[in-house]
């Protein structure tokens, strides 16, 4: 079943393997995807769906040096080359729209102020264009400023469609801005966007509804990662997690999104499968960063009815022809973690396809 077709939004996918959004920081200081990025995505077009690396919707939303954006005309032209190449190979590609929130520094954003739900810094350091620096205390967004952030997501999503993407994935996971609103460790507001589980889910829902209104539900997916305690975004109270994400998913369900994608170490567990039942639509799972997803695990998740499709990262990095290799039970390339982040083709476009 992993290699059978499926419907996702208004797309027909030839298989149920989805390429995870993978930060690879190969787009230079101007955030423009160049020929190397085009080739990387083109090589992987046989996957049922590609989700791009996180792309920033505004300069303040940039999280990493070398990250691509959806802001300038040059960035959009670069992405248009990517989507054209993927489509020419018969592929489908969504843009992941990611606002880094407090997971950045002014030395990365080009001087733009770092923003978050609350003025709470992450304990640790981040890579910037000027080397490693401690995470700054972010500016706590005011209620009056939040509509502007919503508009950033809407504008970036419209631009993504204009650049040829088949849809967008809203990044509400892994400790970035939308996830920060959900997590009580990062969100200590006392207005209608903080405190209760319902209030903490409010901003994510406002962004999602606005993007749906702008480009259509069939073109919008969302990614969440409950209990994925990274980048200072801690969700340690199981009851609160169940309540918060239950409220969120209950409100997402009527929107009829293209999909809900969940990153969690226990995809068959009660929390994830409970959220799947509440969502009622196309459901993608990603088993997380701790353990590389295997062929057998991916096959079982679909065959046993735990997911409609499986999101894979490192296997897709190392195997541009992963669908063929897994379908035919062929040997696979092993990923080289030392080349995940950086510049150049090594570990990016030089993994070979299988040779008979």
């Amino acid at each position: 079943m992993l290699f059978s077709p499926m419907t996702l939004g208004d797309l027909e996918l030839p298989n149920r393997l989805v390429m995870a959004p993978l930060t690879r920081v190969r787009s230079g200081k101007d955030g423009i995807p160049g020929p190397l990025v085009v080739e990387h995505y083109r090589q992987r077009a046989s996957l049922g769906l590609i989700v791009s690396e996180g792309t920033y919707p505004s300069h303040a939303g940039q999280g990493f040096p070398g990250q691509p954006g959806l802001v300038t005309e040059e960035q959009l032209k670069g992405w248009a080359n990517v989507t054209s190449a993927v489509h020419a190979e018969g592929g489908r590609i969504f843009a992941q729209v990611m606002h880094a929130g407090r997971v950045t520094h002014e030395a990365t954003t080009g001087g733009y102020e770092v923003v978050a739900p609350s003025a709470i810094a992450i304990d640790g350091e981040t890579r910037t264009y000027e080397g490693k620096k401690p995470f700054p205390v972010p500016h706590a967004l005011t209620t009056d400023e939040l509509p502007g952030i919503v508009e950033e997501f809407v504008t970036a999503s419209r631009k993504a469609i204009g650049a040829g993407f088949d849809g967008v994935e809203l990044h509400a996971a892994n400790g970035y801005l939308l996830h920060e609103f959900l997590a009580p460790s990062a969100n200590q507001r006392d207005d209608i966007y903080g405190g209760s589980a319902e209030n903490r889910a409010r901003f994510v829902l406002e962004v999602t509804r606005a993007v749906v209104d702008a480009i259509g539900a069939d073109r919008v997916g969302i990614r969440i990662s409950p209990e994925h305690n990274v980048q200072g975004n801690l969700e340690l109270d199981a009851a609160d997690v169940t309540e918060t994400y239950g409220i969120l998913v209950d409100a997402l369900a009527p929107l009829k999104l293209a999909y809900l994608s969940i990153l969690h170490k226990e995809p068959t567990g009660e929390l994830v499968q409970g959220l799947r039942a509440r969502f009622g639509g196309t459901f993608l799972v990603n088993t997380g960063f701790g353990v590389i997803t295997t062929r057998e695990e991916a096959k079982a998740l679909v065959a046993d009815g735990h997911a409609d499709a499986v999101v894979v990262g490192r296997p897709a990095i190392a195997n541009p022809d992963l669908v063929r290799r897994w379908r035919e039970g062929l040997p696979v390339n092993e990923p080289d973690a030392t080349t995940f982040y950086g510049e150049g083709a090594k570990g990016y476009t030089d993994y070979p396809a299988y040779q008979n």
Side-chain angles (χ1 to χ4, degrees), residues 293-301 326:
T293 304
T294 66
R295 172 180 182 264
E296 290 69 28
E297 181 184 14
K299 289 176 67 177
L301 284 167
W326 275 10

Side-chain angles (χ1 to χ4, degrees), residues 66-120:
Q67 182 185 6
L70 283 166
V71 181
T72 70
E73 286 302 314
E74 292 78 11
Q75 290 168 353
L76 298 175
K77 288 176 182 176
W79 279 122
N81 292 333
V82 171
T83 59
S84 293
V86 169
H87 291 150
E89 296 289 334
R92 297 134 300 272
I93 182 168
F94 271 40
Q96 188 189 64
V97 184
M98 170 197 141
H99 192 303
R102 64 180 183 163
V103 190
T104 190
H105 193 281
E106 285 87 351
T108 296
T109 65
Y112 287 86
E113 188 174 40
V114 176
V115 300
S118 300
I120 303 169

Side-chain angles (χ1 to χ4, degrees), residues 241-327:
V241 169
T242 300
E243 181 184 10
T244 302
Y245 285 91
I247 288 170
L248 176 67
V249 171
D250 284 349
L252 291 173
L255 301 179
K256 305 298 182 185
L257 301 178
Y259 64 83
L260 170 64
S261 181
I262 296 188
L263 185 148
H264 196 278
K265 63 183 179 180
E266 296 178 358
T268 65
E270 183 178 347
L271 173 64
V272 173
Q273 292 304 308
L275 293 174
R276 181 188 188 186
R278 296 169 85 145
F279 183 65
T282 301
F283 187 75
L284 282 51
V285 297
N286 189 164
T287 56
F289 298 141
V291 179
I292 298 178
T293 304
T294 66
R295 172 180 182 264
E296 290 69 28
E297 181 184 14
K299 289 176 67 177
L301 284 167
V302 174
D304 295 343
H306 291 119
D308 296 300
V310 179
V311 182
V312 293
R314 282 164 287 185
I317 286 177
N319 298 276
D321 56 345
L322 181 66
V323 175
R324 181 195 174 197
R325 289 178 188 256
W326 275 10
R327 185 177 57 235

